[in-house]
Amino acid sequence: MELFAVPNLPEIREGDDLAAMIDERVHLRADDVVVVASTVVSKAEGRVFDLDDFPASERAEAVADRLAEIADEEKDPRFAQAVIDESTELLMEAPFLLTATHFGHIGVNAGIDRSNVPDGDLLLLPERPSDSAERIREGLAADRVVVSDTCGRPFRHGQRGVAIGWAGMPASRDWRGERDRDGREMGVTVQNVIDELAAAANLVAGEGDGGTPVVVVRDWEFGDHDGSDNHFREVEGDFVRQALREWTFDE
């Protein structure tokens, strides 16, 4: 398997044709996987906003006040309002905001970014990342596209690349019913391949001001496995989410 960044992409602005910009900079093959950072997808889709676009409600004021007290630093209630607006649920309101987005992703601050936003204060995640992936895929020679983001995960330090949208391939491959090296039948292994591709691509794309938000994964095969588009856990089977609903932060 080979991974390489698409070179010389400019600063992306609202209305830019990402697929065309990628296609003119790299010769793609049909079996490539193109991993696109959500930041450039959001910029192309006009998801850049100012804090003044989110006048704070009483709830946002209360959330910001509590976070400010915990952190001993001022918190802008307009940012809290943006997080509330982009979320279906606040799983944690302290000591930070852990939220479920409208498309099912769980992360801190609804994935809202405040860095690398030259034309505004906030960069929101794409509204429907899998639809975004499909639109990009339609303009490329490659058949598979993943939209990625970086976020922290429970029980791990630091951030890593994760998939928030995908098109042209299943989200996971199912090894259940297949045999291991000792001939035992596997009963639980479902491999989330879009997350693994996003994490691998993030190693190449990097962070900060590197300016390489699109990575091509070449010579990777899904293999002869059953596939599934299950990616975000259903609430009924997400016991961690259920536990968080009953948990409160004790200062």
Coordinates of all heavy atoms in Angstrom, one line a residue, residues 109-198:
N109 N -16.8 19.6 21.1 CA -17.2 20.9 20.5 C -17.9 20.7 19.1 O -17.7 21.6 18.3 CB -16.0 21.9 20.4 CG -15.5 22.3 21.7 OD1 -16.2 22.3 22.7 ND2 -14.2 22.7 21.8
A110 N -18.5 19.6 18.9 CA -19.2 19.3 17.6 C -18.2 19.4 16.5 O -18.6 19.6 15.3 CB -20.4 20.3 17.4
G111 N -16.9 19.2 16.7 CA -15.9 19.3 15.7 C -15.7 20.6 15.1 O -15.0 20.8 14.1
I112 N -16.1 21.7 15.8 CA -15.9 23.0 15.3 C -14.5 23.4 15.5 O -13.9 23.3 16.6 CB -16.8 24.0 16.0 CG1 -18.3 23.7 15.8 CG2 -16.5 25.5 15.6 CD1 -19.3 24.5 16.5
D113 N -13.9 24.0 14.4 CA -12.5 24.3 14.4 C -12.3 25.8 14.5 O -13.1 26.6 13.9 CB -11.8 23.8 13.1 CG -10.3 23.6 13.3 OD1 -9.7 24.2 14.2 OD2 -9.8 22.8 12.4
R114 N -11.3 26.3 15.2 CA -11.0 27.7 15.3 C -9.6 28.1 14.7 O -9.2 29.2 14.9 CB -11.1 28.2 16.7 CG -12.5 27.9 17.3 CD -12.7 28.5 18.7 NE -12.9 30.0 18.7 CZ -13.2 30.7 19.7 NH1 -13.5 30.1 20.9 NH2 -13.4 32.0 19.7
S115 N -8.9 27.1 14.1 CA -7.6 27.3 13.5 C -7.7 27.2 12.0 O -8.6 26.5 11.5 CB -6.6 26.3 14.1 OG -7.0 25.0 13.8
N116 N -6.8 27.8 11.3 CA -6.8 27.8 9.9 C -8.1 28.2 9.2 O -8.6 27.6 8.3 CB -6.4 26.4 9.4 CG -5.0 26.0 9.7 OD1 -4.1 26.8 9.6 ND2 -4.8 24.8 10.1
V117 N -8.7 29.3 9.8 CA -9.9 29.8 9.3 C -9.7 31.3 8.9 O -10.0 32.2 9.7 CB -11.1 29.7 10.3 CG1 -12.4 30.0 9.6 CG2 -11.1 28.4 10.9
P118 N -9.1 31.6 7.8 CA -8.7 33.0 7.5 C -9.8 33.9 7.2 O -9.7 35.1 7.4 CB -7.8 32.8 6.2 CG -8.3 31.5 5.6 CD -8.6 30.6 6.7
D119 N -11.0 33.4 6.9 CA -12.1 34.3 6.5 C -13.2 34.4 7.6 O -14.3 34.9 7.3 CB -12.7 33.8 5.2 CG -11.7 33.8 4.0 OD1 -10.9 34.7 4.0 OD2 -11.7 32.9 3.2
G120 N -12.9 33.8 8.7 CA -14.0 33.9 9.8 C -13.4 33.4 11.1 O -12.2 33.2 11.3
D121 N -14.3 33.2 12.1 CA -13.9 32.8 13.4 C -14.0 31.3 13.6 O -13.2 30.7 14.3 CB -14.8 33.5 14.5 CG -14.8 35.0 14.4 OD1 -13.7 35.5 14.3 OD2 -15.8 35.6 14.5
L122 N -15.0 30.7 12.9 CA -15.3 29.3 13.2 C -15.4 28.5 11.8 O -15.9 29.0 10.9 CB -16.6 29.1 13.9 CG -16.8 29.9 15.2 CD1 -18.2 29.7 15.7 CD2 -15.8 29.5 16.2
L123 N -15.0 27.3 11.9 CA -15.2 26.4 10.7 C -16.0 25.2 11.2 O -15.5 24.4 12.1 CB -13.8 25.9 10.2 CG -13.9 25.0 8.9 CD1 -14.5 25.8 7.7 CD2 -12.5 24.5 8.5
L124 N -17.2 25.0 10.7 CA -18.1 23.9 11.1 C -17.8 22.7 10.3 O -17.4 22.9 9.1 CB -19.5 24.4 11.0 CG -20.1 25.2 12.2 CD1 -19.3 26.4 12.5 CD2 -21.6 25.6 11.9
L125 N -18.1 21.5 10.8 CA -18.0 20.3 10.0 C -19.0 20.4 8.8 O -20.0 21.1 8.9 CB -18.3 19.1 10.8 CG -17.2 18.7 11.8 CD1 -17.6 17.5 12.7 CD2 -15.9 18.4 11.2
P126 N -18.8 19.6 7.8 CA -19.8 19.5 6.7 C -21.1 19.1 7.3 O -21.2 18.3 8.2 CB -19.2 18.5 5.7 CG -17.8 18.5 6.0 CD -17.6 18.8 7.4
E127 N -22.2 19.5 6.8 CA -23.5 19.2 7.3 C -23.8 17.7 7.1 O -24.4 17.0 8.0 CB -24.6 20.0 6.6 CG -24.7 21.4 7.0 CD -25.9 22.1 6.5 OE1 -25.8 22.7 5.3 OE2 -27.0 22.1 7.2
R128 N -23.5 17.1 5.9 CA -23.7 15.7 5.6 C -22.4 15.2 4.9 O -22.4 15.2 3.7 CB -25.0 15.5 4.8 CG -26.3 15.9 5.5 CD -27.5 15.8 4.6 NE -27.5 16.8 3.6 CZ -27.9 18.0 3.8 NH1 -28.4 18.4 5.0 NH2 -27.9 19.0 2.9
P129 N -21.5 14.8 5.7 CA -20.2 14.4 5.1 C -20.2 13.3 4.1 O -19.4 13.3 3.1 CB -19.3 14.0 6.3 CG -20.0 14.7 7.5 CD -21.4 14.7 7.2
S130 N -21.1 12.3 4.2 CA -21.1 11.3 3.2 C -21.7 11.8 1.9 O -21.3 11.4 0.8 CB -22.0 10.1 3.7 OG -21.3 9.4 4.8
D131 N -22.6 12.7 2.0 CA -23.1 13.4 0.7 C -22.0 14.2 0.1 O -21.8 14.2 -1.1 CB -24.3 14.3 1.0 CG -25.5 13.5 1.4 OD1 -25.6 12.3 1.2 OD2 -26.5 14.2 1.9
S132 N -21.2 14.8 0.9 CA -20.0 15.6 0.4 C -19.0 14.6 -0.3 O -18.5 14.9 -1.4 CB -19.3 16.3 1.6 OG -20.1 17.2 2.2
A133 N -18.8 13.4 0.4 CA -17.9 12.5 -0.2 C -18.4 12.0 -1.6 O -17.6 11.8 -2.5 CB -17.7 11.3 0.7
E134 N -19.7 11.8 -1.7 CA -20.3 11.3 -2.9 C -20.1 12.4 -4.0 O -19.8 12.1 -5.2 CB -21.7 11.0 -2.7 CG -22.4 10.5 -4.0 CD -21.8 9.2 -4.6 OE1 -21.4 8.4 -3.8 OE2 -21.8 9.1 -5.8
R135 N -20.3 13.6 -3.7 CA -20.2 14.7 -4.7 C -18.7 14.8 -5.2 O -18.5 15.0 -6.4 CB -20.6 16.1 -4.1 CG -22.1 16.2 -4.0 CD -22.5 17.6 -3.7 NE -22.0 18.1 -2.4 CZ -22.7 17.9 -1.2 NH1 -23.9 17.4 -1.3 NH2 -22.2 18.4 -0.1
I136 N -17.8 14.7 -4.3 CA -16.4 14.7 -4.7 C -16.1 13.5 -5.6 O -15.4 13.6 -6.6 CB -15.5 14.7 -3.5 CG1 -15.7 16.0 -2.7 CG2 -14.0 14.6 -3.9 CD1 -15.0 16.1 -1.3
R137 N -16.6 12.3 -5.2 CA -16.3 11.1 -5.9 C -16.8 11.2 -7.4 O -16.2 10.7 -8.3 CB -17.0 9.9 -5.2 CG -16.6 8.5 -5.8 CD -17.3 7.4 -5.0 NE -18.7 7.3 -5.4 CZ -19.2 6.5 -6.3 NH1 -18.4 5.8 -7.0 NH2 -20.5 6.5 -6.5
E138 N -18.0 11.8 -7.5 CA -18.5 11.9 -8.9 C -17.6 12.7 -9.8 O -17.8 12.5 -11.1 CB -19.9 12.6 -8.8 CG -21.0 11.7 -8.1 CD -22.3 12.4 -7.9 OE1 -22.3 13.6 -8.2 OE2 -23.2 11.7 -7.5
G139 N -16.8 13.6 -9.3 CA -15.9 14.4 -10.2 C -14.5 13.8 -10.3 O -13.6 14.5 -10.9
L140 N -14.2 12.6 -9.8 CA -12.9 12.0 -9.8 C -12.8 10.8 -10.6 O -13.9 10.1 -10.8 CB -12.4 11.7 -8.4 CG -12.2 12.9 -7.4 CD1 -11.9 12.4 -6.0 CD2 -11.2 13.9 -7.9
A141 N -11.6 10.4 -11.0 CA -11.4 9.1 -11.7 C -11.5 8.0 -10.6 O -11.8 6.8 -10.9 CB -10.1 9.1 -12.4
A142 N -11.1 8.3 -9.4 CA -11.1 7.3 -8.3 C -12.6 7.0 -7.9 O -13.4 7.9 -7.9 CB -10.3 7.8 -7.1
D143 N -12.8 5.8 -7.5 CA -14.1 5.3 -7.1 C -14.5 5.4 -5.7 O -15.6 5.2 -5.3 CB -14.3 3.8 -7.5 CG -14.3 3.6 -9.0 OD1 -14.7 4.6 -9.7 OD2 -14.0 2.5 -9.5
R144 N -13.5 5.8 -4.8 CA -13.7 5.7 -3.4 C -13.2 7.0 -2.7 O -12.0 7.4 -3.0 CB -13.0 4.5 -2.8 CG -13.5 3.2 -3.4 CD -12.8 2.0 -2.8 NE -11.4 1.9 -3.3 CZ -10.6 0.8 -3.0 NH1 -11.1 -0.2 -2.3 NH2 -9.4 0.8 -3.5
V145 N -14.0 7.6 -1.9 CA -13.6 8.8 -1.2 C -14.0 8.7 0.3 O -15.1 8.2 0.6 CB -14.3 10.1 -1.8 CG1 -14.1 11.3 -1.0 CG2 -13.9 10.3 -3.2
V146 N -13.1 9.2 1.1 CA -13.3 9.3 2.6 C -13.1 10.7 3.0 O -12.1 11.4 2.6 CB -12.4 8.4 3.4 CG1 -12.5 8.6 4.9 CG2 -12.6 6.9 3.0
V147 N -14.1 11.3 3.8 CA -13.9 12.6 4.4 C -13.4 12.3 5.8 O -14.1 11.6 6.6 CB -15.2 13.4 4.4 CG1 -15.0 14.7 5.1 CG2 -15.6 13.7 2.9
S148 N -12.3 13.0 6.2 CA -11.7 12.7 7.5 C -11.7 13.9 8.4 O -11.8 15.1 7.9 CB -10.3 12.2 7.3 OG -9.5 13.2 6.9
D149 N -11.6 13.7 9.7 CA -11.4 14.7 10.7 C -10.4 14.2 11.7 O -10.1 13.0 11.7 CB -12.7 15.1 11.3 CG -12.7 16.4 12.1 OD1 -11.8 17.3 11.8 OD2 -13.4 16.5 13.1
T150 N -9.9 15.1 12.5 CA -9.1 14.6 13.6 C -9.8 14.9 15.0 O -10.3 16.0 15.1 CB -7.7 15.3 13.6 OG1 -7.9 16.8 13.6 CG2 -6.9 14.9 12.4
C151 N -9.7 14.0 15.8 CA -10.3 14.2 17.2 C -9.7 13.1 18.1 O -9.1 12.2 17.7 CB -11.8 14.0 17.1 SG -12.5 12.4 16.7
G152 N -9.9 13.4 19.4 CA -9.5 12.5 20.4 C -10.5 11.4 20.6 O -11.7 11.6 20.3
R153 N -10.1 10.3 21.2 CA -11.0 9.2 21.4 C -10.9 8.7 22.9 O -9.8 8.9 23.5 CB -10.7 8.0 20.5 CG -10.7 8.3 19.0 CD -11.9 9.1 18.5 NE -13.2 8.4 18.7 CZ -14.3 9.1 18.7 NH1 -14.3 10.4 18.6 NH2 -15.5 8.5 18.8
P154 N -11.9 8.2 23.5 CA -11.8 7.7 24.8 C -10.7 6.7 25.1 O -10.4 5.9 24.2 CB -13.2 7.0 25.1 CG -14.1 7.6 24.0 CD -13.2 7.9 22.9
F155 N -10.0 6.9 26.2 CA -9.0 6.0 26.7 C -7.7 6.1 25.9 O -6.8 5.3 26.0 CB -9.5 4.5 26.6 CG -10.8 4.3 27.2 CD1 -11.9 3.8 26.4 CD2 -11.1 4.6 28.5 CE1 -13.2 3.7 26.8 CE2 -12.4 4.4 29.0 CZ -13.4 3.9 28.2
R156 N -7.6 7.2 25.1 CA -6.4 7.4 24.3 C -5.9 8.8 24.5 O -6.8 9.7 24.5 CB -6.6 7.1 22.8 CG -6.9 5.7 22.4 CD -5.7 4.8 22.6 NE -5.9 3.4 22.1 CZ -6.4 2.4 22.8 NH1 -6.7 2.6 24.1 NH2 -6.6 1.3 22.2
H157 N -4.6 9.1 24.5 CA -4.1 10.4 24.5 C -3.8 10.9 23.1 O -3.4 10.2 22.2 CB -2.7 10.4 25.3 CG -2.1 11.8 25.4 ND1 -2.7 12.7 26.2 CD2 -1.0 12.3 24.8 CE1 -1.9 13.8 26.1 NE2 -0.9 13.6 25.3
G158 N -4.1 12.2 22.9 CA -3.9 12.8 21.6 C -5.0 12.6 20.6 O -6.0 12.0 20.9
Q159 N -4.8 13.2 19.4 CA -5.8 13.1 18.4 C -5.3 12.2 17.3 O -4.1 12.0 17.1 CB -6.0 14.5 17.8 CG -6.8 15.4 18.7 CD -5.9 15.9 19.9 OE1 -4.8 16.3 19.7 NE2 -6.5 16.0 21.1
R160 N -6.3 11.7 16.5 CA -5.9 10.9 15.3 C -7.0 11.1 14.3 O -8.1 11.6 14.6 CB -5.8 9.4 15.7 CG -7.1 8.6 15.8 CD -7.6 8.4 17.2 NE -6.6 8.0 18.1 CZ -6.3 8.6 19.2 NH1 -7.0 9.7 19.6 NH2 -5.4 8.2 20.0
G161 N -6.7 10.7 13.0 CA -7.6 10.8 12.0 C -8.8 9.8 12.1 O -8.5 8.7 12.4
V162 N -10.0 10.3 11.9 CA -11.1 9.4 11.8 C -12.0 9.8 10.6 O -11.9 10.9 10.1 CB -12.0 9.5 13.1 CG1 -11.2 9.1 14.3 CG2 -12.5 10.9 13.3
A163 N -12.8 8.8 10.2 CA -13.7 9.1 9.0 C -15.0 9.6 9.5 O -15.6 9.1 10.5 CB -13.9 7.8 8.2
I164 N -15.5 10.7 8.9 CA -16.8 11.2 9.2 C -17.8 11.0 8.0 O -19.0 11.2 8.2 CB -16.8 12.6 9.7 CG1 -16.2 13.6 8.7 CG2 -16.0 12.7 11.0 CD1 -16.4 15.0 9.0
G165 N -17.3 10.7 6.9 CA -18.1 10.5 5.7 C -17.4 9.6 4.7 O -16.1 9.6 4.7
W166 N -18.1 8.9 3.8 CA -17.5 8.0 2.9 C -18.4 7.8 1.7 O -19.6 8.0 1.8 CB -17.1 6.7 3.6 CG -18.2 5.9 4.0 CD1 -18.8 4.8 3.4 CD2 -19.0 6.1 5.2 NE1 -19.8 4.3 4.1 CE2 -20.0 5.1 5.3 CE3 -18.9 7.0 6.3 CZ2 -20.9 4.9 6.3 CZ3 -19.9 6.9 7.3 CH2 -20.8 5.9 7.3
A167 N -17.8 7.3 0.6 CA -18.6 7.0 -0.6 C -17.9 6.0 -1.4 O -16.6 6.1 -1.5 CB -18.9 8.3 -1.4
G168 N -18.6 5.1 -2.1 CA -18.0 4.2 -3.0 C -17.4 2.9 -2.4 O -16.8 2.1 -3.1
M169 N -17.6 2.8 -1.1 CA -17.1 1.6 -0.4 C -17.8 1.4 0.9 O -18.4 2.4 1.4 CB -15.6 1.7 -0.1 CG -15.2 2.9 0.8 SD -13.4 3.0 1.1 CE -13.1 1.6 2.1
P170 N -17.8 0.2 1.4 CA -18.4 0.0 2.8 C -17.6 0.6 3.8 O -16.4 0.9 3.7 CB -18.5 -1.5 2.9 CG -18.3 -2.1 1.6 CD -17.4 -1.1 0.8
A171 N -18.2 0.9 5.0 CA -17.4 1.5 6.1 C -16.5 0.5 6.8 O -15.5 0.8 7.3 CB -18.4 2.1 7.1
S172 N -17.0 -0.8 6.8 CA -16.2 -1.8 7.5 C -16.3 -3.1 6.7 O -17.1 -3.3 5.8 CB -16.9 -2.0 8.9 OG -18.2 -2.4 8.8
R173 N -15.3 -4.0 7.0 CA -15.3 -5.3 6.5 C -15.5 -6.3 7.6 O -14.9 -6.2 8.7 CB -14.1 -5.6 5.6 CG -12.7 -5.4 6.2 CD -11.6 -5.5 5.2 NE -10.3 -5.3 5.7 CZ -9.2 -5.2 5.0 NH1 -9.3 -5.4 3.7 NH2 -8.0 -5.0 5.5
D174 N -16.2 -7.3 7.3 CA -16.7 -8.3 8.3 C -16.0 -9.6 8.2 O -16.0 -10.3 7.2 CB -18.2 -8.5 8.1 CG -18.9 -9.1 9.3 OD1 -18.2 -9.8 10.1 OD2 -20.1 -9.0 9.5
W175 N -15.2 -9.9 9.3 CA -14.4 -11.1 9.3 C -15.2 -12.3 10.0 O -14.6 -13.4 10.0 CB -13.1 -10.9 10.0 CG -12.2 -9.9 9.3 CD1 -12.2 -8.6 9.3 CD2 -11.0 -10.3 8.5 NE1 -11.2 -8.0 8.6 CE2 -10.5 -9.0 8.0 CE3 -10.5 -11.5 8.1 CZ2 -9.4 -9.0 7.2 CZ3 -9.3 -11.4 7.3 CH2 -8.8 -10.2 6.9
R176 N -16.3 -12.0 10.5 CA -17.1 -13.0 11.2 C -17.4 -14.2 10.3 O -17.9 -14.0 9.1 CB -18.4 -12.4 11.8 CG -18.1 -11.5 12.9 CD -19.3 -10.8 13.4 NE -20.0 -10.0 12.4 CZ -21.1 -9.3 12.6 NH1 -21.7 -9.3 13.7 NH2 -21.5 -8.5 11.6
G177 N -17.2 -15.4 10.8 CA -17.4 -16.6 10.0 C -16.2 -17.1 9.2 O -16.1 -18.2 8.7
E178 N -15.2 -16.2 9.1 CA -13.9 -16.6 8.5 C -13.0 -17.3 9.5 O -13.3 -17.3 10.7 CB -13.2 -15.4 7.9 CG -14.1 -14.7 6.8 CD -13.3 -13.7 6.0 OE1 -12.1 -13.8 5.8 OE2 -13.9 -12.7 5.6
R179 N -11.9 -17.9 9.1 CA -11.1 -18.6 10.0 C -9.8 -17.9 10.3 O -9.2 -17.3 9.4 CB -10.8 -20.0 9.3 CG -12.0 -20.8 9.0 CD -12.5 -21.5 10.2 NE -13.8 -22.2 9.9 CZ -14.4 -22.9 10.8 NH1 -14.0 -23.0 12.1 NH2 -15.6 -23.6 10.5
D180 N -9.3 -18.1 11.5 CA -8.0 -17.5 11.8 C -6.9 -18.6 11.4 O -7.2 -19.6 10.8 CB -7.9 -17.1 13.3 CG -7.9 -18.3 14.3 OD1 -7.8 -19.5 13.8 OD2 -8.1 -18.1 15.5
R181 N -5.6 -18.3 11.8 CA -4.5 -19.2 11.4 C -4.6 -20.6 12.0 O -4.0 -21.5 11.5 CB -3.2 -18.5 11.7 CG -2.9 -17.2 10.9 CD -1.7 -16.6 11.3 NE -0.5 -17.4 11.1 CZ 0.7 -17.0 11.5 NH1 0.9 -15.8 12.1 NH2 1.8 -17.8 11.2
D182 N -5.3 -20.6 13.1 CA -5.5 -21.9 13.8 C -6.8 -22.6 13.4 O -7.1 -23.7 14.0 CB -5.4 -21.7 15.3 CG -4.1 -21.2 15.7 OD1 -3.0 -21.7 15.2 OD2 -4.0 -20.3 16.6
G183 N -7.5 -22.1 12.4 CA -8.7 -22.7 12.0 C -9.9 -22.4 12.8 O -11.0 -22.9 12.5
R184 N -9.8 -21.5 13.8 CA -10.9 -21.1 14.6 C -11.8 -20.1 13.9 O -11.3 -19.2 13.3 CB -10.5 -20.5 16.0 CG -9.7 -21.5 16.8 CD -9.4 -20.8 18.2 NE -8.6 -21.7 19.0 CZ -7.3 -21.6 19.1 NH1 -6.6 -20.7 18.3 NH2 -6.5 -22.4 19.9
E185 N -13.1 -20.3 14.0 CA -14.0 -19.4 13.4 C -14.1 -18.1 14.2 O -14.3 -18.1 15.4 CB -15.4 -20.0 13.2 CG -16.4 -19.1 12.5 CD -17.7 -19.7 12.3 OE1 -17.8 -20.9 11.8 OE2 -18.8 -19.1 12.6
M186 N -13.9 -16.9 13.5 CA -14.0 -15.6 14.2 C -15.5 -15.2 14.3 O -16.3 -15.4 13.4 CB -13.2 -14.6 13.4 CG -11.7 -14.8 13.4 SD -10.8 -13.5 12.6 CE -11.0 -14.0 10.9
G187 N -15.8 -14.7 15.5 CA -17.2 -14.4 15.8 C -17.5 -13.0 16.1 O -18.7 -12.6 16.1
V188 N -16.5 -12.1 16.2 CA -16.8 -10.7 16.6 C -16.0 -9.7 15.8 O -16.4 -8.5 15.9 CB -16.4 -10.5 18.1 CG1 -17.3 -11.4 19.0 CG2 -14.9 -10.8 18.4
T189 N -15.1 -10.0 15.0 CA -14.2 -9.1 14.3 C -14.9 -8.4 13.2 O -15.2 -9.0 12.1 CB -12.9 -9.7 13.9 OG1 -12.2 -10.3 15.0 CG2 -12.0 -8.6 13.2
V190 N -15.2 -7.1 13.3 CA -15.7 -6.2 12.2 C -14.7 -5.0 12.2 O -14.6 -4.3 13.1 CB -17.1 -5.7 12.5 CG1 -17.5 -4.8 11.3 CG2 -18.1 -6.9 12.6
Q191 N -14.0 -4.9 11.1 CA -12.8 -4.0 11.0 C -13.3 -2.7 10.3 O -13.8 -2.7 9.2 CB -11.8 -4.6 10.1 CG -10.5 -3.8 9.9 CD -9.5 -4.4 9.1 OE1 -9.8 -5.3 8.3 NE2 -8.2 -4.0 9.1
N192 N -13.2 -1.6 11.1 CA -13.6 -0.3 10.6 C -12.6 0.3 9.6 O -11.6 0.9 10.1 CB -13.9 0.7 11.7 CG -14.6 2.0 11.3 OD1 -14.2 2.5 10.3 ND2 -15.6 2.4 12.0
V193 N -12.7 0.0 8.4 CA -11.6 0.3 7.4 C -11.5 1.8 7.1 O -10.5 2.3 6.8 CB -11.7 -0.5 6.1 CG1 -11.4 -2.0 6.4 CG2 -13.0 -0.4 5.4
I194 N -12.7 2.5 7.1 CA -12.6 3.9 6.8 C -11.9 4.7 7.8 O -11.2 5.7 7.5 CB -14.0 4.5 6.4 CG1 -15.0 4.3 7.6 CG2 -14.5 3.9 5.1 CD1 -16.3 5.1 7.4
D195 N -12.1 4.3 9.1 CA -11.3 5.0 10.2 C -9.8 4.7 10.0 O -9.0 5.6 10.2 CB -11.8 4.5 11.6 CG -12.8 5.4 12.2 OD1 -13.1 6.5 11.6 OD2 -13.4 5.0 13.2
E196 N -9.5 3.4 9.7 CA -8.1 3.1 9.5 C -7.4 3.8 8.4 O -6.3 4.3 8.4 CB -7.9 1.6 9.4 CG -8.3 0.8 10.7 CD -8.1 -0.7 10.6 OE1 -8.3 -1.2 9.5 OE2 -7.8 -1.3 11.6
L197 N -8.2 4.0 7.3 CA -7.6 4.7 6.1 C -7.5 6.2 6.5 O -6.5 6.8 6.1 CB -8.6 4.5 4.9 CG -8.6 3.1 4.3 CD1 -9.8 3.0 3.3 CD2 -7.3 2.8 3.6
A198 N -8.4 6.7 7.2 CA -8.3 8.1 7.6 C -7.1 8.4 8.5 O -6.4 9.4 8.4 CB -9.6 8.6 8.3

